[in-house]
Amino acid sequence: MNVYITPEEYEAAAARGISARTLNLRIQTYGWPKERALTEPPQRRTDWDHWYEVADRHGIARQTFRARVYRGWPPERAATEPPRQRKG
């Protein structure tokens, strides 16, 4: 996987309202494909307050909710689908 981000890619992302930090996280941390990382508009955290409450009601930790959304899950599914049970 190519995680190097060129100056031109940073410029293209900035033109779409995607900060360098967000682009770095998407590609280097979350493993998003570059095409998606460069084109998908960033979500605003203020929109997440409702989904945090939904996730809390379904017993889903905020960290789990955020990780799911960053992996591309729709917020509704991320906030309502029960976590997998670990085999122990």
Side-chain angles (χ1 to χ4, degrees), residues 15-51:
R16 292 182 178 98
I18 301 167
S19 70
R21 180 179 183 278
T22 298
L23 185 62
N24 287 333
L25 284 171
R26 288 176 169 187
I27 293 173
Q28 297 174 348
T29 303
Y30 305 129
W32 285 24
K34 280 190 175 183
E35 180 65 26
R36 177 179 175 209
L38 288 163
T39 58
E40 188 168 310
Q43 292 184 346
R44 303 289 176 221
R45 288 183 182 226
T46 56
D47 299 335
W48 289 17
D49 290 340
H50 164 73
W51 293 115

Side-chain angles (χ1 to χ4, degrees), residues 75-87:
E76 182 176 6
R77 178 179 173 211
T80 58
E81 187 169 308
R84 290 186 309 198
Q85 297 299 316
R86 293 184 182 199
K87 294 181 181 179

Side-chain angles (χ1 to χ4, degrees), residues 2-7 9-10 20 23-24 27-28 34 38:
N2 182 8
V3 295
Y4 176 73
I5 305 168
T6 67
E9 289 169 331
Y10 281 114
L23 185 62
N24 287 333
I27 293 173
Q28 297 174 348
K34 280 190 175 183
L38 288 163

Side-chain angles (χ1 to χ4, degrees), residues 46-86:
T46 56
D47 299 335
W48 289 17
D49 290 340
H50 164 73
W51 293 115
Y52 283 149
E53 292 175 15
V54 174
D56 288 342
R57 285 195 306 264
H58 285 90
I60 297 168
R62 288 182 180 201
Q63 182 177 1
T64 301
F65 169 78
R66 285 192 303 269
R68 289 173 167 184
V69 171
Y70 284 133
R71 287 187 192 112
W73 289 31
E76 182 176 6
R77 178 179 173 211
T80 58
E81 187 169 308
R84 290 186 309 198
Q85 297 299 316
R86 293 184 182 199

